Amino acid sequence: MNNRQRVFISEYLKDFNATRSAKAAGYSLKTAYSYGQQLLKNLEVQEAIKAKIDELSMSAEEVRLRLADIARGDIADFIDNSGGELRLSLTAIDDEGKPITHPKSKLIRKIIQRTTRHVSPRGGETETTAVEIELYSAHDALRDIGKMHALFTENVEVKGPVTLVWTPHKPES
């Protein structure tokens, strides 16, 4: 596989636009459309695209593990109260004692920081900063896990022979 093909594959996986990807790989504006289509028909390119998609895709097991992490998520994992006051901590310490991104940061849905300035009638000014953190919904994750395990039945599955009886409606005279 040549370098242009590797660049084409890398660019193609960003937005699945063959013409744009061929241009990024160095093909001329006039020929990018046709080269893009040719490259997509090339078996080696097809296999490389499929392999990369398989590598980047989330397996069913990974989905289950991620949902389980969300369902077990606890805001306490992000609270540091070592200093007498509650503080939000988005870092953790690795085995070597260095700060790293918190290993459970994927559980965070949203962080909002608000700074409010208060001016008193006497001219004094104070500023307070509040941080809100929202985790992904444990309830939603539990519902999705329950659906995967068929814990909730919305439809009833009937096993065995079923006899349907149809009686035509007779109009009244």
Side-chain angles (χ1 to χ4, degrees):
M1 180 174 300
N2 66 40
N3 191 47
R4 275 186 168 182
Q5 290 171 327
R6 282 190 283 280
V7 171
F8 173 82
I9 292 164
S10 175
E11 293 297 320
Y12 185 73
L13 289 170
K14 291 178 184 176
D15 64 7
F16 298 95
N17 183 316
T19 302
R20 194 202 58 72
S21 301
K23 288 176 192 174
Y27 294 97
S28 75
L29 298 177
K30 290 182 181 180
T31 62
Y33 176 80
S34 58
Y35 273 111
Q37 297 310 309
Q38 285 177 2
L39 286 167
L40 288 178
K41 292 176 185 174
N42 178 312
L43 289 179
E44 191 177 13
V45 170
Q46 286 178 3
E47 289 172 7
I49 289 170
K50 183 182 180 324
K52 194 67 175 170
I53 289 172
D54 289 345
E55 176 187 323
L56 296 172
S57 295
M58 195 178 263
S59 68
E61 192 59 33
E62 189 177 357
V63 170
R64 283 189 215 118
L65 290 171
R66 194 69 167 264
L67 284 171
D69 281 348
I70 291 169
R72 293 182 181 113
D74 188 347
I75 196 71
D77 293 333
F78 301 98
I79 303 298
D80 175 16
N81 66 354
S82 65
E85 63 181 49
L86 293 179
R87 292 186 6 227
L88 178 65
S89 176
L90 298 178
T91 58
I93 304 299
D94 69 6
D95 296 337
E96 298 171 5
K98 296 178 184 171
I100 57 170
T101 301
H102 200 291
K104 293 189 177 186
S105 63
K106 64 183 175 263
L107 304 179
I108 299 172
R109 182 170 186 262
K110 181 176 20 175
I111 298 175
I112 298 173
Q113 180 173 325
R114 291 188 178 98
T115 302
T116 308
R117 182 170 287 157
H118 304 278
V119 179
S120 72
R122 295 183 184 153
E125 197 173 294
T126 60
E127 191 172 274
T128 57
T129 301
V131 177
E132 293 178 26
I133 182 172
E134 180 182 336
L135 302 182
Y136 283 100
S137 171
H139 179 266
D140 290 349
L142 288 168
R143 185 182 59 236
D144 291 345
I145 291 168
K147 286 179 183 178
M148 286 184 337
H149 293 294
L151 296 176
F152 316 117
T153 52
E154 295 174 10
N155 297 319
V156 177
E157 184 179 331
V158 178
K159 294 183 179 182
V162 176
T163 305
L164 297 176
V165 179
W166 178 70
T167 307
H169 177 70
K170 294 181 184 177
E172 295 180 26
S173 337

